[in-house]
Amino acid sequence: MCPALAPLLFDRALETVPSAGNPEVLELSPSALQELVASAGKVQDELSSVPIDERLQVIEHIARKWKERLDKGDLDELKKDMSASTGYSPALMETEMSFVPAVLGAANIRRNLDASVQGGADALFKFVEMDETEMFRHVPVGPVLIISSGNSIVPTLIPTVVSLVTGNLTILKPSMANYRGVCEVFKLLADVPDSKAARAMRSALVVSYFGHDSPSLKLALEELPMGMINFWGAEPARTVVADMVGKNRNHPRFFVNGPFTGMALIEEGADVLRAADDLALDVVLYDQQLCSSPTTGAFIGPYDRAKEFLKAAGERLDEAGMEFPLAPDQDRLFVLQGARRFIQMEGGMVLSSKSPENPWTLVLSKGKSSLGGLAAQFPSFNLFARRRFLEIVAVPDAESAVQLLRSLPEHPAFKGIDGVQSVGLAVTEGSRDHFVELLVGAGVHRILPLGDMFMRGAVEPYDGVTMSSLFTRIVYWRKANAALEGQL
């Protein structure tokens, strides 16, 4: 079993200590981390010697066991706990948990590896010929420390599972909000039938919380011979962690999955009613807390048509939002009402819900955003605090919409984001390719149909980088002398 706030360990005993500032939370001690990292070579050699399909079958078993527990209702209490800790509705937590089997499905992971590993997934186990006598093999870069986000379970599972199946000793630090849910998934490793693959996988995974002032975390970042630090999150933690990693003489890789957001583009002439349905779904799912969630939008067409779309989207939000009701929060509603009035004074048209359990807000602006002064008037109503809140700016053409997208990181109401990660399109067939060409050069990472922004494809990179490339390095082997002619 995995206690709510104690490390999850398999087949090994490691010293734990109370977390700094919170004696009820246990974390790995500095000496335990040293012992764990010292074992990385042996652990990774053992795991890397297991054929990739056998590693994937261990993860597949976890996926099946999770689905069984979900179908039996064994996770109902967890849904309630996770709803309380994350702020999501219980219905949304049930939806989130239903995604887990697909995320952990062996076929999906195999497709991702085959698409992202040069030489295919088998190159994680053996040398694969790439060009005549030239061979590639991908080996683990670990030990790996993943400092994950707290906005849901699934984004934490993906890098952890990829790190594991690529052969790394993996230390996962979840957030306090999603700690129990993550543990409930990974503790199913203990139920996997005994095999070399299962034993190797259990030896390679440790889950532990670390406080912000943890001596153990400081040691791992600044001194221990880590191979990779993968940080998910925003400022100021990102810069703090980066500065600490910069002191490490072992020079581990450091990759940040930073704060991004999503944008919806709706064009006059598209199926407006379907676009309204799709936008409502993307707004309500995860309450705009994912990097892929639309937090702003543009309507390409006349302002009057944009007003019609806004009304249709509001009607759909009334329906979709009540499927995922939120617990009323009077303090948040008070700030929201003030923000709505302020935006109206700035010239924005505001539509809003009448239900405190579904507090959606849609803003329509003409040509430019009406949210410019919002941050100064309501500093607590920042992007990360806004839920079911979206401004749509009516613009005349695709170029104007993309210019809005490019300017978003400098917008005061969007302070803290690096850029737009995901764009949801609801445009006409004839103009879709034009939009895509403009977006390719605008710094976005994902272009998707509106209504599908939250869903990750099996072969998708993350923030423009294949996940497997973060956790492996390539060993190149040339079996025969290369002819000099044409090689240089």
Side-chain angles (χ1 to χ4, degrees):
M1 295 293 290
C2 176
L5 290 173
L8 175 60
L9 307 170
F10 301 97
D11 304 337
R12 65 165 84 223
L14 293 170
E15 181 184 46
T16 60
V17 294
S19 183
N22 194 340
E24 296 182 0
V25 177
L26 297 178
E27 62 181 54
L28 293 181
S29 70
S31 62
L33 268 182
Q34 287 178 309
E35 177 185 342
L36 181 62
V37 170
S39 73
K42 180 180 179 181
V43 169
Q44 292 177 171
D45 286 348
E46 184 73 11
L47 183 53
S48 296
S49 71
V50 175
I52 186 64
D53 285 331
E54 293 180 25
R55 300 180 218 174
L56 293 176
Q57 284 309 306
V58 173
I59 304 301
E60 175 75 21
H61 185 89
I62 295 173
R64 290 197 302 267
K65 293 293 291 186
W66 181 265
K67 188 174 187 308
E68 288 175 14
R69 294 193 66 198
L70 190 64
D71 291 344
K72 290 178 181 177
D74 293 346
L75 300 175
D76 288 349
E77 283 302 312
L78 178 63
K79 293 174 196 172
K80 295 177 184 177
D81 291 347
M82 291 293 294
S83 176
S85 64
T86 62
Y88 296 135
S89 74
L92 179 55
M93 289 315 309
E94 182 167 2
T95 300
E96 159 95 338
M97 290 180 183
S98 72
F99 292 156
V100 170
V103 171
L104 300 183
N108 283 339
I109 301 173
R110 176 81 194 216
R111 286 168 61 197
N112 182 282
L113 296 176
D114 281 334
S116 62
V117 175
Q118 290 175 284
D122 286 340
L124 294 164
F125 169 66
K126 61 185 180 182
F127 277 99
V128 173
E129 187 173 86
M130 299 297 294
D131 184 21
E132 296 183 355
T133 67
E134 295 178 282
M135 319 282 282
F136 277 7
R137 181 170 174 180
H138 297 251
V139 297
V141 76
V144 168
L145 171 62
I146 299 172
I147 302 174
S148 74
S149 59
N151 50 11
S152 69
I153 299 174
V154 168
T156 299
L157 299 182
I158 292 172
T160 307
V161 167
V162 173
S163 178
L164 276 175
V165 299
T166 52
N168 291 283
L169 172 67
T170 304
I171 304 165
L172 170 64
K173 176 202 173 300
S175 76
M176 194 76 79
N178 67 4
Y179 193 90
R180 188 180 169 205
V182 170
C183 275
E184 286 291 325
V185 174
F186 283 121
K187 77 176 186 181
L188 295 174
L189 259 175
D191 298 331
V192 177
D194 186 53
S195 66
K196 180 181 178 181
R199 291 192 298 272
M201 205 71 93
R202 285 193 287 264
S203 295
L205 177 65
V206 170
V207 182
S208 177
Y209 181 77
F210 297 102
H212 298 304
D213 298 321
S214 166
S216 299
L217 184 60
K218 178 179 172 66
L219 177 72
L221 296 175
E222 295 186 352
E223 298 183 35
L224 292 183
M226 306 301 297
M228 172 69 187
I229 311 292
N230 182 205
F231 175 84
W232 295 65
E235 300 294 351
R238 171 172 57 177
T239 295
V240 171
V241 171
D243 288 345
M244 296 172 78
V245 175
K247 298 175 183 177
N248 193 320
R249 294 181 180 179
N250 299 287
H251 306 295
R253 292 182 184 178
F254 180 55
F255 188 81
V256 175
N257 291 93
F260 286 96
T261 195
M263 184 173 186
L265 299 184
I266 302 100
E267 185 186 25
E268 180 194 17
D271 186 337
V272 173
L273 292 180
R274 178 174 178 179
D277 273 329
D278 291 341
L279 180 64
L281 177 65
D282 279 333
V283 166
V284 169
L285 279 180
Y286 297 102
D287 293 320
Q288 300 173 291
Q289 299 303 294
L290 298 185
C291 288
S292 57
S293 299
T295 56
T296 188
F299 185 93
I300 299 91
Y303 183 74
D304 287 344
R305 294 300 302 274
K307 287 170 65 175
E308 294 174 14
F309 173 76
L310 200 76
K311 181 179 178 182
E315 292 171 355
R316 298 306 188 272
L317 277 168
D318 268 334
E319 298 170 9
M322 288 311 297
E323 294 180 19
F324 301 96
L326 297 171
D329 184 325
Q330 294 304 317
D331 291 340
R332 181 175 290 179
L333 288 172
F334 179 78
V335 174
L336 176 60
Q337 292 287 14
R340 289 168 174 169
R341 288 193 294 270
F342 175 80
I343 293 166
Q344 288 175 315
M345 291 176 63
E346 293 292 296
M349 172 184 169
V350 177
L351 297 183
S352 60
S353 165
K354 302 297 189 292
S355 170
E357 293 182 316
N358 179 26
W360 62 263
T361 304
L362 290 176
V363 176
L364 179 61
S365 302
K366 189 173 184 178
K368 64 178 184 178
S369 173
S370 301
L371 308 185
L374 189 64
Q377 290 294 320
F378 300 90
S380 66
F381 196 58
N382 58 48
L383 175 65
F384 308 105
R386 300 196 292 267
R387 297 194 175 202
R388 306 189 186 187
F389 181 101
L390 184 132
E391 179 187 37
I392 295 174
V393 181
V395 295
D397 50 45
E399 287 76 11
S400 300
V402 174
Q403 183 56 42
L404 280 174
L405 182 150
R406 287 177 177 274
S407 67
L408 209 61
E410 306 304 320
H411 194 304
F414 291 84
K415 183 178 180 181
I417 64 163
D418 292 345
V420 174
Q421 180 210 67
S422 302
V423 176
L425 292 180
V427 300
T428 62
E429 188 76 19
S431 61
R432 184 176 58 192
D433 289 352
H434 179 55
F435 275 98
V436 169
E437 285 302 312
L438 291 174
L439 291 168
V440 165
V444 306
H445 296 307
R446 306 172 72 230
I447 305 170
L448 314 118
L450 192 61
D452 203 30
M453 295 176 69
F454 63 94
M455 185 58 70
R456 291 278 174 178
V459 303
E460 273 199 54
Y462 262 69
D463 297 345
V465 178
T466 56
M467 191 68 72
S468 63
S469 68
L470 299 181
F471 301 119
T472 61
R473 62 180 179 86
I474 301 174
V475 177
Y476 170 81
W477 177 24
R478 188 165 61 238
K479 294 167 60 176
N481 292 337
L484 292 178
E485 185 177 352
Q487 296 297 313
L488 300 178

